[in-house]
């Protein structure tokens, strides 16, 4: 480790040190010599620390280690055996070449479509028994592998990657990524890996015109490729034409393929307009002669134009209600396909056949609980909406007692696409209903049944309007009011209470129904009352049927019963439903319960249906092309489903009922544009019930045909544009060319497009003008499957459609190692380092020849041909801290009288005090003994008749034996003694003051000597 600086010119400031010394001689003259020298040293250290901080001081540590990442290509173009040999090569190379004493580290990255870190950088040989990471092998992205390695390799040492690949990238830009990584200090070694050279047959493409007219012949061309260098391949070529769910084999014949490509042509002349898919499949006679079966299928698409195709979906439990409408549309030249709701489309591809879709009095759920799951599912509804918004298809809802809000479509994606809301939002005209749910919560309901019961309650609450009433009563042996009767509002409070339901106890239904009856009676302003009873077990039957009859007769409350599972008392529950005027459901699968509750809750929501008695004729509000040629008034209707017109300027209300008076809730026919498509709502039926007088109306066929034609995909002008697609790796380019019309060329900058993938996801893409009359866009097609495209060249223009089938991997296309790319990658050199090394370029390939294997083993990625990496740590913060501490120390040293050796004196005093404390008991005993001797001596003198003297008994003891005792001095008179005492006291005080003055004078003299 060494100290270095970033800004060395700041070191010139150290030249100020002599000036600091000169200045210190004057400012420190008041201190003694050694104190002034210490103060000067502190100031010089402060100056040095400040200068080093300004110069950007740092500590540099040089690393001799090398960090290496091995990048292993796991794509399908690399044979499985070669991938295994790659793994063994990496383990051996790390074990033999890594220098443990210098801290070398190794990492392993595997890659295909994406790169994954198999082993992070470690300072030991990884235990790589097998590749654990899962990668998508259908593509090769070398650039992503280099990017990941560059990110995970620590930068505290020299860095290198070893790329083991055939170089056949079909994603990313490896050369650009490698150049950037090399600039950052990354060296690249390359080991070329062989590709799979097995014989392979592929269906490369199916070419067909994007658009054709009915009865216009066109050719479908199938391109087959035999990628074997010498041998022929025999098999069968099968071509299928699909239109929706209909599939027809148009060609099936044996073929023999020599090496190379061969084109097969099939003549087609469809007799009906449709969106056709042509799929070609090759089946080899010998499967072993075909290395990859996944590239044996390809598809093409043709949009055959005609007068227009219409899909009418009707309730499967009420089929035939719209036969009159279907006949009238067909008489007007429209091709109408009728499908029941339980056997309709299952994919977005099937909807491409049609120009508009009619939902005829279609409820969200069916009448038959057994057919509950055959109605339109949420994914199907989303496909309908996407087909309109992004694909330009029309969507029309025709009313009836099971449609719109009365059919449970409120708060759905379908409602968002319509020009009206399915709830009545004006409280003045909105009637209210009351719903009571009586739910069994006995112990047998525990588990899935209780979970679904709670979900069913949620569905029922969701269907109700905010001013409707709801009550939920749970029963076992007793009764509990889960949700007391109250208006639904936003439903949040009721939903929270429902979550408290828990199973326990036995089963007794009668108290639960009585409690629900009391709750419903509190909803005095409800125009409709309904009770739903759910149980899965046996209950005492006494009084239950009679209560159901009284509910219907006295309270005008209908009762529906739901029996869950085989243990429920079906006979009793059926009788309850019959006596209560409701419906009985016997459910074997508890998953049907939520939909049943939702449908039954619609009995309360049915006030959205507005009966008209006597029947009234709709009034024309707005002139529109739908009403073109329809003269005079309209036949009367006896009812319709009330809605609320959306607050949008795009909504056109064409027909309105005279009742109710509020126009927003009296709409009979409304339209608007939704995305690329058009939607409409006809709030009454088409002649089966409320509008039966319409069936004999002279304009019946024309009115509905014009409504349907208005909603269809825009037609006309398709021949003015050419739409083509090009596949490139994981991206498909969409090219739209305007043909011949300069005005249209100028408008192409408004082109918009959507792509719908095999998973149903929809992706918008932007088309940008690249030349006069040409716009180009692109979207990702990574996953295999069918992609549908719609492009609108200009606002109000036709909708161009196309399809792209992604069925094969680009990995099957290349049969040779991409030596130029691998060579280019190895030539990139880091700054002040050597270029990488290539093994297997012009020399024999590793994993195939012994010479190539030996060259790969000899490669040393841990070689020291790159400059060592210097790891720096900033030191200027430490210098700033040091300067601050030294500055405070300098001030303290000059201003405070600090004795650096004072601690020794303090230590000595402490030791002496300890000794004194230790001898204190001995001195105390000595004093006691001396006092006793004095007292004994005084007593003896008193007994001898001698006056006491001031002589010390000790002094007497010190006299030699035989010596005469001194006579005591004469005692002065009391008066003389009193006069003499003050003089003695004054003499002592004088001596004390004199000694103090002498000590002070001596101290001052010492200070003067020190200063001099």
């Amino acid at each position: 480790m060494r100290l270095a600086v970033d800004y060395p010119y700041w070191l010139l400031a150290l030249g100020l040190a002599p000036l600091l010394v000169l200045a210190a001689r004057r400012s420190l003259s008041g201190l003694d010599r050694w104190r002034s020298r210490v103060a000067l040293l502190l100031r010089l250290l402060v100056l040095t620390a400040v200068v080093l901080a300004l110069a950007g001081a740092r500590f540099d540590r040089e690393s001799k280690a090398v960090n290496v990442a091995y990048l292993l290509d796991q794509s399908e173009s690399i044979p499985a055996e070669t991938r295994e040999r790659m793994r063994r090569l990496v383990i051996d190379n790390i074990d033999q070449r890594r220098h443990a004493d210098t801290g070398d580290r190794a990492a392993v990255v595997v890659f295909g479509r994406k790169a994954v870190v198999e082993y992070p950088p470690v300072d030991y040989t990884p235990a790589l028994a097998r590749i654990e990471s899962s990668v998508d092998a259908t593509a090769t992205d070398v650039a992503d592998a280099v990017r990941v390695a560059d990110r995970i390799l620590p930068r505290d040492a020299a860095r290198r990657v070893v790329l083991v690949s055939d170089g056949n990238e079909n994603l990313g830009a490896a050369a650009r990524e490698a150049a950037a990584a090399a600039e950052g200090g990354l060296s690249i070694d390359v080991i070329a890996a062989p590709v799979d050279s097995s014989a392979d047959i592929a269906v490369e493409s199916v070419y067909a015109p994007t658009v054709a007219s009915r009865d216009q012949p066109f050719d479908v061309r199938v391109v087959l490729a035999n990628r074997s260098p010498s041998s022929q391949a025999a098999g069968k070529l099968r071509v299928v034409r699909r239109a929706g769910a209909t599939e027809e084999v148009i060609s099936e014949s044996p073929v023999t393929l020599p090496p190379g490509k061969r084109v097969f042509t099939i003549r087609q002349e469809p007799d009906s307009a449709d969106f056709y898919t042509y799929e070609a499949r090759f089946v080899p006679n010998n499967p072993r002669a075909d290395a990859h079966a996944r590239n044996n299928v390809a598809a093409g698409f043709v949009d055959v134009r005609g007068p227009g195709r219409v899909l009418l979906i009707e309730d499967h439990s009420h089929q035939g209600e719209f036969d009159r409408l279907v006949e009238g549309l067909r008489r007007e030249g429209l091709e109408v396909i009728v499908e029941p709701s339980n056997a309709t489309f299952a994919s977005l591809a099937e909807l491409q056949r049609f120009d508009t879709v009619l939902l005829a009095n279609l409820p969200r759920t069916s009448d038959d609980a057994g057919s509950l799951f055959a109605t339109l599912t949420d994914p199907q509804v989303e496909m309908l909406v996407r087909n309109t918004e992004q694909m330009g298809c029309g969507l029309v809802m025709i009313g009836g007692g099971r449609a719109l809000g009365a059919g449970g479509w409120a708060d759905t994606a379908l409602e968002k696409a319509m020009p009206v809301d399915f709830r009545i939002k004006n409280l003045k005209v909105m009637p209210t209903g009351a719903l009571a749910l009586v739910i069994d919560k006995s112990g047998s309901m525990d588990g899935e049944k209780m979970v679904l019961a709670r979900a069913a309650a949620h569905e029922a609450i969701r269907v109700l309007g905010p001013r409707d009433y709801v009550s939920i009563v749970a029963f076992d042996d007793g009764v509990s009011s889960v949700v007391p009767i109250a208006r639904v509002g936003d439903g949040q409070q009721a939903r929270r209470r429902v979550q408290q339901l828990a199973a326990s106890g036995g089963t007794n239904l009668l108290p639960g129904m009585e409690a629900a009856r009391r709750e419903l009676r509190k909803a005095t302003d409800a125009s409709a009352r309904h009770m739903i009873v759910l149980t899965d077990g046996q209950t005492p039957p006494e009084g239950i049927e009679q209560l159901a009859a009284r509910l219907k007769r006295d309270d005008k409350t209908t009762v529906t019963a739901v029996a869950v599972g085989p243990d429920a008392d079906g006979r009793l529950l059926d009788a309850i439903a019959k006596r209560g005027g409701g419906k009985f459901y016997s459910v074997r699968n508890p998953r049907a319960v939520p939909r049943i509750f939702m449908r039954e809750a619609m009995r309360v929501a049915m006030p959205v249906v507005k009966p008209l008695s006597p029947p009234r004729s709709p009034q024309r509000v707005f002139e529109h092309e739908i009403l073109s040629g329809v003269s005079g008034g309209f036949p009367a209707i006896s009812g319709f489903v009330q809605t609320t017109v959306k607050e949008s300027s795009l909504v056109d209300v064409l027909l309105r009922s005279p009742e109710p008076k509020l126009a927003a809730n009296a709409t009979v026919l409304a339209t608007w544009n939704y995305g690329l498509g058009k939607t409409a709502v006809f709030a009454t039926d088409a002649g089966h019930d409320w509008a039966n007088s319409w069936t004999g109306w002279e304009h019946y066929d024309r009115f509905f045909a014009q409504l349907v034609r208005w909603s269809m995909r825009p037609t006309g002008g398709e021949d003015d544009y050419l739409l083509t697609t090009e596949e490139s790796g994981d991206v498909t380019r969409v090219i739209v060319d305007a043909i011949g019309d300069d005005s249209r060329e100028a408008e192409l900058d408004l082109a918009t497009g959507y792509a719908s993938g095999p998973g149903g996801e929809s992706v918008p893409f932007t088309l940008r003008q690249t030349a006069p009359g040409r716009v180009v866009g692109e979207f990702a097609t990574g996953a295999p499957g069918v992609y549908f495209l719609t492009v609108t060249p200009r606002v109000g223009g036709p909708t161009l459609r196309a399809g792209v089938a992604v069925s094969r991997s680009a990995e099957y296309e290349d049969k040779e190692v991409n030596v130029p790319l691998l060579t280019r990658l190895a030539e990139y050199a880091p700054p002040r380092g050597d270029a990488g090394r290539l093994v297997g370029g012009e020399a024999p390939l590793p994993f195939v020849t012994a010479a190539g294997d030996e060259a790969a083993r000899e490669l040393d990625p841990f070689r020291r041909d790159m400059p060592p990496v210097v790891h720096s740590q900033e030191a200027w913060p430490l210098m700033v801290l040091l300067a601050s501490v030294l500055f405070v120390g300098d001030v303290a040293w000059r201003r405070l009288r600090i004795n650096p050796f004072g601690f020794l004196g303090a230590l000595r005093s402490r030791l002496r005090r300890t000794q004194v404390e230790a001898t204190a008991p001995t001195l105390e005993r000595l004093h006691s003994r001396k006092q006793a001797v004095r007292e004994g001596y005084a007593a003896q003198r008193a007994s001898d008749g001698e006056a006491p003297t001031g002589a010390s008994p000790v002094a007497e003891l010190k006299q030699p034996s035989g010596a005469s005792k001194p006579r005591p001095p004469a005692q002065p008179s009391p008066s003389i003694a009193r006069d003499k005492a003050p003089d003695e006291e004054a003499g002592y005080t004088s001596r004390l003051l004199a000694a103090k003055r002498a000590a002070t004078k001596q101290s001052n003299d010492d200070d003067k000597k020190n200063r001099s």
Side-chain angles (χ1 to χ4, degrees):
M1 183 180 293
R2 66 177 184 271
L3 182 66
V5 295
D6 293 327
Y7 312 105
Y9 51 82
W10 277 105
L11 297 179
L12 297 175
L14 292 176
L16 299 175
L19 298 177
L20 182 64
V21 173
L22 293 176
R25 292 186 60 182
R26 182 175 182 179
S27 63
L28 301 178
S29 61
L31 301 178
D32 57 69
R33 179 175 302 176
W34 72 276
R35 291 177 66 86
S36 63
R37 288 179 178 177
V38 171
L40 178 59
L41 177 62
L42 290 174
R43 292 186 177 185
L44 290 174
L45 291 176
V46 169
L47 174 64
T48 303
V50 170
V51 170
L52 289 175
L54 293 173
R58 67 178 189 276
F59 294 114
D60 288 346
R61 180 176 58 84
E62 188 176 273
S63 174
K64 297 181 180 180
V66 179
N67 297 328
V68 177
Y70 293 82
L71 314 182
L72 306 184
D73 189 345
Q74 302 292 295
S75 63
E76 291 178 341
S77 62
I78 306 293
E81 180 182 356
T82 302
R83 295 198 293 268
E84 174 60 23
R85 296 181 68 180
M86 285 181 186
R87 182 193 63 80
R88 293 199 297 266
L89 171 66
V90 168
I91 297 300
D92 294 342
N93 193 272
I94 296 174
D95 192 53
Q96 296 173 12
R97 303 295 180 181
R98 190 182 67 85
H99 301 275
D101 55 339
T102 58
D104 291 352
R105 283 175 284 189
V108 180
V109 176
V110 294
F111 68 95
R113 185 178 296 274
K114 292 289 184 182
V116 180
V117 179
E118 178 72 15
Y119 243 96
V122 293
D123 56 359
Y124 55 85
T125 302
L128 200 64
R130 61 180 179 273
I131 301 297
E132 300 286 351
S133 301
S134 176
V135 297
D136 185 351
T138 60
T140 302
D141 192 345
V142 178
D144 190 49
V146 174
R147 188 181 308 113
V148 170
D150 188 31
R151 188 168 59 245
I152 67 170
L153 285 178
R155 298 179 181 269
D156 58 354
R159 304 182 307 137
R160 176 177 283 118
V161 299
V162 180
L163 173 64
V164 188
S165 172
D166 59 9
N168 290 313
E169 65 170 349
N170 38 56
L171 293 177
R176 183 171 64 244
E177 193 67 37
E183 286 295 324
L186 189 70
S187 176
I188 302 177
D189 286 349
V190 178
I191 299 177
V195 297
D196 189 352
S197 58
S198 304
D200 185 38
I201 299 96
V203 181
E204 286 198 345
S205 58
V206 176
Y207 290 104
T210 305
V211 179
S213 300
R214 188 175 62 177
D215 299 327
Q216 173 189 350
F218 58 86
D219 291 332
V220 177
R221 295 179 175 86
V222 180
V223 180
L224 295 182
N226 180 2
R227 294 169 181 166
S228 172
S230 57
S231 60
Q232 291 186 339
K236 182 185 296 183
L237 177 62
R238 188 169 188 262
V239 181
V240 175
R241 183 177 68 189
R242 291 195 182 94
T246 305
E247 181 176 302
E248 178 186 0
V249 178
I250 61 173
S251 176
E252 187 171 14
S253 58
V255 295
T256 301
L257 303 175
K261 296 184 180 182
R262 187 176 173 187
V263 179
F264 297 87
T265 302
I266 303 168
R267 192 72 169 175
Q268 285 290 285
E269 189 174 348
D271 56 0
S272 62
D274 216 324
F275 192 81
Y276 292 100
T277 301
Y278 289 90
E279 180 185 276
R281 180 183 298 272
F282 177 78
V283 181
N285 293 341
N286 181 12
R288 295 183 179 180
D290 188 11
H292 306 289
R294 288 181 57 183
N295 61 353
N296 289 1
V297 180
F301 304 88
V302 181
D303 184 8
V304 178
R305 298 286 186 172
R309 291 174 60 87
V310 179
L311 172 63
L312 187 146
I313 304 176
E314 63 181 356
D315 187 356
H316 71 274
S317 59
H318 296 80
Q319 296 185 41
E321 285 185 354
F322 290 86
D323 289 348
R324 171 68 179 88
L325 174 62
V326 173
E327 293 172 1
L329 294 178
R330 287 173 177 168
R331 280 196 295 268
E332 290 291 321
L334 295 172
E335 186 176 353
V336 183
I337 306 298
V338 180
E339 293 181 353
S341 56
N342 62 347
T344 186
F345 67 96
S347 68
L348 195 60
E350 296 178 44
L351 288 174
Q352 301 313 303
R353 309 172 55 200
F354 305 103
D355 297 301
T356 195
V357 178
L358 308 183
L359 304 182
N361 197 12
L362 188 68
R364 193 176 178 196
T365 59
S366 76
D367 286 332
D368 184 3
S371 304
L372 193 61
F373 297 102
T375 56
L376 290 185
T377 63
D378 290 341
Q380 285 177 306
V381 172
E382 291 174 2
M383 279 186 261
L384 277 175
V385 174
R386 189 181 306 120
N387 188 44
T388 298
E389 181 182 17
Q390 300 171 359
M391 304 293 177
C393 183
L395 184 59
V396 179
M397 293 190 74
I398 300 177
R402 302 181 302 276
L404 308 177
W409 291 109
D411 301 324
T412 64
L414 194 60
E415 181 187 40
K416 294 179 182 179
M418 293 296 119
V420 295
D421 291 324
F422 296 155
R423 292 190 186 277
I424 305 175
K425 297 185 177 181
N426 190 323
L427 303 184
K428 295 180 179 180
V429 300
M430 183 177 180
T432 60
L435 176 68
L437 306 179
V438 184
I439 299 175
D440 183 354
K441 72 177 191 73
S442 61
S444 60
M445 288 286 293
D446 195 20
E448 183 187 27
K449 292 180 182 178
M450 183 53 66
V451 172
L452 291 170
R454 289 195 290 263
H458 282 295
E459 285 292 316
I461 294 169
R462 189 185 61 79
V463 168
L464 298 176
R467 290 185 54 80
D468 290 329
Y469 292 94
V470 66
S471 171
I472 301 178
V473 175
F475 69 91
D476 45 23
D477 295 314
V479 177
S480 61
S481 179
V482 180
V483 179
I485 191 77
R487 296 194 186 273
V488 173
D490 61 4
Q492 294 299 323
Q493 184 176 3
R495 292 188 184 97
R496 284 194 297 268
R497 289 175 175 262
V498 167
Q499 292 302 116
Q500 301 173 6
L501 275 174
S504 64
T507 305
N508 191 358
L509 174 58
L510 182 61
M513 291 181 64
E514 291 175 338
R517 182 188 188 188
R518 291 192 294 271
E519 292 293 315
L520 286 174
R521 283 181 169 179
K522 298 176 183 178
T524 55
D525 60 337
S527 59
R529 295 184 179 87
H530 188 54
M531 182 185 298
I532 304 175
V533 176
L534 180 143
T535 182
D536 72 336
Q538 303 286 327
T539 182
E542 290 80 10
I544 295 180
E545 293 185 35
Q546 293 78 7
L547 177 58
R550 289 196 300 274
L551 282 166
K552 180 182 178 183
R553 182 184 65 249
D554 301 337
D555 297 357
K556 302 297 185 285
T557 300
T558 54
V559 183
T560 286
V562 182
V564 182
D567 298 330
D569 191 345
R571 188 204 62 79
L572 174 63
L573 295 174
D574 185 27
I576 292 173
K578 290 179 179 177
R579 299 286 295 273
K583 193 167 185 177
F584 170 62
Y585 296 87
S586 180
V587 179
R588 295 289 182 250
N589 187 350
R591 294 181 181 275
V593 173
R595 291 295 180 91
I596 292 173
F597 270 45
M598 182 183 72
R599 178 162 188 81
E600 286 298 310
M602 292 308 302
R603 289 176 175 257
V604 173
M606 280 295 290
V608 297
V609 173
K610 175 65 176 177
L612 297 176
S613 180
R616 305 290 298 274
S617 296
Q619 300 171 350
R620 189 190 304 254
V621 178
F622 180 75
E623 288 297 336
H624 194 276
E625 60 185 279
I626 296 175
L627 306 180
S628 176
V630 180
S631 57
F634 291 85
I637 58 175
S638 60
F640 68 100
V641 182
Q642 287 185 272
T643 58
T644 302
V645 177
K646 288 182 177 176
E647 296 180 359
S648 172
S649 59
L650 298 177
V651 177
D652 292 328
V653 176
L654 278 60
L655 298 179
R656 184 179 294 150
S657 171
E659 296 181 12
K661 297 301 182 183
L662 192 64
N665 305 123
T667 302
V668 174
L669 176 60
T671 65
W672 76 341
N673 285 38
Y674 186 70
L676 298 180
K678 301 173 182 178
T679 66
V681 166
F682 187 63
T684 188
D685 58 39
H688 175 71
D689 187 9
W690 298 330
N692 51 21
S693 62
W694 283 48
T695 56
W697 182 35
E698 58 177 334
H699 297 300
Y700 181 93
D701 295 351
R702 181 171 189 167
F703 169 78
F704 283 106
Q706 291 181 168
L707 170 62
V708 171
R709 284 198 173 95
W710 170 86
S711 67
M712 285 182 172
R713 303 180 198 266
T715 58
E718 296 91 345
D719 295 338
D720 294 329
Y721 303 94
L722 177 64
L723 186 152
T724 57
T725 60
E726 296 177 357
E727 297 179 54
S728 176
D730 271 5
V731 174
T732 294
R733 298 179 71 231
V734 181
I735 304 167
V736 179
D737 291 295
I739 304 174
D741 192 329
D742 294 338
S743 64
R744 291 191 175 90
E745 291 176 10
E747 294 173 351
L748 281 180
D749 58 347
L750 302 176
T752 59
Y754 287 91
S756 179
E761 70 282 359
S762 183
V763 180
F765 59 90
T766 303
L767 295 103
R768 304 184 185 280
Q769 190 156 1
T770 60
R774 165 172 286 199
V775 289
V776 177
E778 62 181 32
F779 63 96
T781 52
V786 176
Y787 294 80
F788 290 101
L789 316 178
T790 57
V791 176
T792 304
R794 55 187 174 84
V795 177
T799 300
L800 308 180
R801 293 184 293 169
V804 178
V806 179
S807 57
R808 67 183 187 278
S809 169
E811 293 296 305
Y812 309 135
E813 305 292 335
D814 300 300
K815 290 298 181 181
E816 294 181 356
V817 178
N818 190 350
V819 175
L821 176 62
L822 298 180
T823 303
R824 185 178 179 185
L825 297 180
E827 289 175 348
Y828 289 113
R832 297 185 299 135
D834 297 337
R837 298 181 182 177
L838 172 64
V839 177
E842 301 300 331
L845 279 174
F847 315 113
V848 176
T849 64
D853 289 345
E854 182 63 24
R857 285 192 294 269
E858 291 299 322
L859 179 66
D860 182 9
F862 295 94
R863 63 189 181 274
R864 267 61 180 171
D865 61 351
M866 291 182 289
V869 173
V870 177
H871 181 66
S872 299
Q873 181 179 0
E874 291 181 337
W876 67 265
L878 179 62
M879 296 301 167
V880 172
L881 176 63
L882 181 61
S884 302
V885 173
L886 291 173
F887 178 77
V888 174
D890 171 52
V891 174
W893 180 256
R894 290 184 290 105
R895 298 297 181 184
L896 303 178
R897 303 184 66 84
I898 301 174
N899 183 3
F901 304 105
F903 74 97
L904 294 177
L907 180 61
R908 186 165 54 252
S909 299
R910 176 63 180 169
L911 293 175
R912 184 177 300 168
R913 186 164 56 253
T914 303
Q915 292 175 359
V916 170
E917 291 175 355
T919 59
T922 304
L923 292 175
E924 184 65 28
R925 288 195 300 273
L926 178 60
H927 287 310
S928 300
R929 179 60 180 165
K930 287 174 66 177
Q931 183 65 26
V933 171
R934 287 194 190 97
E935 292 175 354
Y937 180 76
Q940 183 178 0
R941 294 287 298 271
S943 62
D944 293 340
E946 297 181 3
T949 66
S952 169
V954 178
E956 294 182 3
L957 291 175
K958 290 181 180 179
Q959 290 183 358
S961 63
S964 60
K965 297 180 181 179
R967 294 181 63 86
Q971 297 293 329
S973 63
S975 61
I976 297 176
R978 285 194 297 268
D979 295 338
K980 198 172 182 180
D983 295 337
E984 294 177 353
E985 184 177 355
Y988 174 79
T989 303
S990 299
R991 291 195 301 274
L992 181 61
L993 290 173
K996 187 174 181 181
R997 292 191 189 101
T1000 303
K1001 181 179 180 182
Q1002 182 66 34
S1003 177
N1004 293 335
D1005 293 342
D1006 292 341
D1007 288 343
K1008 290 180 179 179
K1009 291 178 181 180
N1010 291 335
R1011 291 191 184 94
S1012 63

